[in-house]
Amino acid sequence: MSAAGRQGFRNLEGQVAVVTGGARGVGELLARKLSARGAKVALVGLEEDGLKRVAARLHADSDQWYADVTDDTAMARVAQEVKARFGKVDIVVANAGVATGGPFEDSDPDAWRRVIEVNLIGGAVTARAFLPVLRESRGYFLQIASLAAIVPAPMMTAYCASKSGVEAFAHSLRSEVAHQGVRVGVGYLSWTDTDMVRGADRDEVMRELRQRLPWPANRTYPLGPAVDRLVAGIERRSAHVYAQWWLRGTQSVRGYLPAVIAAAGQREMRRFGPRLAGVRKGLVGAGGAADEQERTQRN
């Protein structure tokens, strides 16, 4: 049955969707699935060649914009140009993100700060740039968060802080703009098979620590079903979208999780202590490498 035939679902045919971080991973597959449902897609990101490659494979009308989501001026320009190109904007997905891991004390300050900038500030900059056109269309803004917004895991201080921040930002924004007809959602993903997760797993300590998490958080989940759930959330304009079925249940126990994680984390840090100095610093995965290369070229 099509989305139009399901109660509460909106037909995406002819809708205009903006996806940041659209060159790979969640962003790429989300763009492909939205396009397959008839949406026109605007891709935004730093990987110019990757964006062109993705756009060339989309079913419906599409275009791409090379921009840093943390740049207010650039994103304001992108919002104006996307509207000029397609006539409107109905959906914006703030998906662009990077990650780094390892002990906070020994972390690379630039990489740590960049995670906050891209994930949190980038989401806010994206929302600010596109809110005027979303008001016009009474559209939908989906902020991609993570299980990391709910579970304060050790060795992931920057990522957890950024994803907790974007969750709070989106919840706050929802109440500000609801009377203007704009809907705001938060998308939660656990460990999903992307370049970012595969990049993190290349570090032996980080991989082993993740494998020691309790089920079902210790699994890597396939990308396709996770993105299907995000698309369904976009069709419903949902306030909360869970890319894995069990994530919804963590909301009811999240108040207990910091104490539980602190106790378990203390034990694991003792176990892995002698090996922590060898954890790789810097951003992980191909997307992280692209971000670091871009900043190096600019400087």
Side-chain angles (χ1 to χ4, degrees):
M1 183 182 294
S2 68
R6 290 175 284 170
Q7 187 173 7
F9 285 69
R10 299 194 184 192
N11 191 335
L12 298 181
E13 186 74 34
Q15 298 266 291
V16 177
V18 176
V19 180
T20 68
R24 63 180 64 252
V26 171
E28 175 183 358
L29 188 55
L30 181 60
R32 288 167 54 192
K33 288 181 179 289
L34 292 173
S35 178
R37 285 162 173 77
K40 302 174 184 179
V41 179
L43 299 164
V44 183
L46 287 177
E47 298 178 72
E48 191 168 14
D49 291 340
L51 295 173
K52 291 178 180 178
R53 172 184 57 81
V54 174
R57 298 175 60 189
L58 298 183
H59 301 269
D61 192 11
S62 65
D63 211 333
Q64 69 280 331
W65 279 263
Y66 174 75
D68 185 334
V69 295
T70 69
D71 185 330
D72 288 276
T73 301
M75 291 302 290
R77 171 185 55 80
V78 169
Q80 293 172 357
E81 291 180 359
V82 172
K83 184 187 175 184
R85 167 70 169 79
F86 294 108
K88 62 173 183 173
V89 175
D90 302 287
I91 301 156
V92 175
V93 183
N95 165 74
V98 294
T100 186
F104 170 71
E105 186 176 3
D106 298 327
S107 62
D108 176 347
D110 291 334
W112 200 98
R113 184 178 294 109
R114 185 60 178 170
V115 173
I116 303 297
E117 289 173 350
V118 174
N119 298 2
L120 174 55
I121 297 175
V125 169
T126 300
R128 181 182 289 114
F130 282 95
L131 272 176
V133 288
L134 287 176
R135 262 198 312 272
E136 293 173 2
S137 66
R138 301 179 69 84
Y140 178 65
F141 177 80
L142 177 63
Q143 172 65 62
I144 299 298
S146 168
L147 173 63
I150 301 171
V151 179
M155 305 281 281
M156 295 175 59
T157 53
Y159 195 71
C160 288
S162 70
K163 292 303 185 178
S164 295
V166 298
E167 180 192 41
F169 164 71
H171 288 331
S172 297
L173 182 64
R174 181 183 300 120
S175 59
E176 286 188 25
V177 299
H179 72 286
Q180 299 171 333
V182 179
R183 303 284 292 275
V184 177
V186 182
Y188 299 89
L189 293 90
S190 183
W191 303 93
T192 305
D193 187 19
T194 63
D195 288 329
M196 180 188 293
V197 171
R198 289 192 293 270
D201 276 352
R202 291 193 184 102
D203 187 283
E204 184 179 9
V205 172
M206 296 299 291
R207 182 175 67 252
E208 290 184 29
L209 278 168
R210 188 163 74 84
Q211 291 170 345
R212 292 177 62 82
L213 292 170
W215 183 88
N218 60 354
R219 286 187 53 198
T220 297
Y221 291 87
L223 181 60
V227 174
D228 285 338
R229 286 175 173 264
L230 294 179
V231 172
I234 291 170
E235 290 174 330
R236 292 192 301 263
R237 303 296 197 260
S238 298
H240 302 86
V241 187
Y242 299 99
Q244 286 82 28
W245 62 269
W246 55 271
L247 286 172
R248 185 185 301 274
T250 62
Q251 296 284 19
S252 62
V253 298
R254 65 185 299 172
Y256 302 98
L257 292 176
V260 173
I261 297 298
Q266 182 177 353
R267 182 175 62 250
E268 295 300 326
M269 291 303 97
R270 285 201 189 98
R271 180 192 299 270
F272 284 88
R275 302 167 59 190
L276 296 182
V279 174
R280 179 190 178 278
K281 297 177 175 64
L283 303 180
V284 301
D291 188 272
E292 290 180 337
Q293 180 180 359
E294 167 66 18
R295 285 184 291 127
T296 299
Q297 291 174 346
R298 273 187 285 174
N299 295 333

